[in-house]
Amino acid sequence: MIPEILHFLVIAGLIVSALLVYYFKDLLAAAIAAGFFSFLISVEFYLLQAPDVAISQAGIGAGLTTAIFIVAIRGTTRYEGEREEEK
């Protein structure tokens, strides 16, 4: 009973975070939502009794990839569709 509820909550969180990534116009917020999505995937792997995959997903997917996205966003524009005016 409890594992099914946990799986349902994680899957609901995955759906919500995926929708947030899609709808956010702020790229920083979208990158953080994608990191949360990746963290929830690692939780699901742990619940499915694959702790080695969960650890690598948390480290690479949630940690490193999110950090790379944030650094890349700092070098570009933060909001989708934003353009710098030419002088």
Side-chain angles (χ1 to χ4, degrees), residues 67-83:
I68 290 172
F69 282 155
I70 290 171
V71 169
I73 291 168
R74 282 183 51 202
T76 60
T77 58
R78 181 171 174 178
Y79 292 94
E80 182 180 341
E82 187 177 282
R83 296 183 183 160

Side-chain angles (χ1 to χ4, degrees), residues 13-61:
L14 285 169
I15 292 169
V16 168
S17 62
L19 290 173
L20 289 175
V21 170
Y22 181 75
Y23 285 112
F24 278 149
K25 297 295 181 192
D26 183 4
L27 296 178
L28 184 61
I32 292 172
F36 185 66
F37 180 88
S38 187
F39 172 73
L40 287 176
I41 287 289
S42 68
V43 170
E44 184 64 27
F45 282 139
Y46 183 75
L47 291 175
L48 293 172
Q49 299 184 4
D52 51 343
V53 179
I55 290 171
S56 63
Q57 177 66 28
I60 306 274

Side-chain angles (χ1 to χ4, degrees), residues 1-13 44 47:
M1 175 81 176
I2 298 293
E4 290 86 11
I5 293 172
L6 287 175
H7 285 291
F8 177 76
L9 290 175
V10 170
I11 290 172
E44 184 64 27
L47 291 175

